[in-house]
Amino acid sequence: MERTYYPESESSHPWLGPLLDTQNLMDNAVSASMAPHRDKVPCGRGCAACCKGGIVPINNVEARGIRWFVTEQLRGEIRDRVISQLKGFEPGQGVCPFLVDTECGIYAVRPIGCRTFHIIGKKCGKNDNISAIDDKKIYRIPNEKLRDAAQPMLSVFETFDREDQSRQVYSGYLRAARPMRDLDWASYILYATKTPDLWVFGE
Ligand code: SF4
Ligand code: SF4
């Protein structure tokens, strides 16, 4: 998979290039790791039970990427739908505010948690509770591949120590990520009452 470049945005937002690098490396790592098992993985477009639990972890840089994408890149009906959903979003709500019908409205910048989450076996039912899913059903790519792909993004946080990187990857919470549902998305994206450098969970 080729990475998409946004020269103007990347020069005005220095964290954006490293984030997009990591997202691209992550996609390629997932795709290479999953290739031999693809017939056992039912995940694909139009299937979104995993977007309704709100448990996807997200960190500050990923949140900035989403805000950039919604405010500077999204166009047309998808933008209108996302904006309208953001207006109605309350922190704690499970359904992701970027889910448009059964598709991700911010697919290009969806968090690492969304990129790397896949299951093995039977496809989820549309009302399945994703947080109750059996751990054995979750497909995991090797941690060292995740860590290598995460390096450009971790450089934004000045996290260069390999052991620290590994610890964060093993715990699943890169740079103090927290569940998507905890963010005050409307304040962060629509009303700009939270600056990018303040953490966006209302602290
Ligand atoms: S985790 Fe479940 S709901 Fe999500 S894409 Fe895979 S099969 Fe579909
Ligand atoms: S960001 Fe996209 S893929 Fe991730 S939970 Fe939301 S709608 Fe689903």
Side-chain angles (χ1 to χ4, degrees), residues 74-169:
L74 262 191
R75 302 275 181 273
E77 193 194 330
I78 303 282
R79 179 190 167 88
D80 296 344
R81 291 279 305 276
V82 166
I83 299 285
S84 151
Q85 289 173 184
L86 284 171
K87 283 181 181 158
F89 182 82
E90 294 288 339
Q93 179 185 310
V95 178
C96 177
F98 307 106
L99 181 65
V100 177
D101 298 327
T102 56
E103 305 264 329
C104 178
I106 52 151
Y107 192 77
V109 290
R110 69 202 186 287
I112 290 169
C114 306
R115 289 167 195 270
T116 55
F117 187 82
H118 298 87
I119 59 164
I120 302 167
K122 201 165 140 270
K123 197 172 187 163
C124 305
K126 71 177 176 189
N127 296 319
D128 278 4
N129 176 2
I130 208 74
S131 44
I133 204 154
D134 183 347
D135 203 55
K136 289 200 253 348
K137 272 192 80 182
I138 299 175
Y139 178 80
R140 300 192 190 281
I141 75 165
N143 278 328
E144 65 276 10
K145 295 207 181 317
L146 285 176
R147 181 196 57 197
D148 290 349
Q151 288 207 11
M153 184 188 71
L154 288 172
S155 73
V156 177
F157 296 106
E158 300 185 353
T159 303
F160 300 111
D161 180 78
R162 299 279 283 180
E163 274 189 30
D164 190 11
Q165 292 176 345
S166 299
R167 263 195 306 277
Q168 294 190 32
V169 168

Side-chain angles (χ1 to χ4, degrees), residues 67 83 86-88 184-194:
R67 182 163 80 163
I83 299 285
L86 284 171
K87 283 181 181 158
D184 183 354
W185 286 106
S187 299
Y188 185 56
I189 295 183
L190 299 180
Y191 311 125
T193 51
K194 309 271 183 195

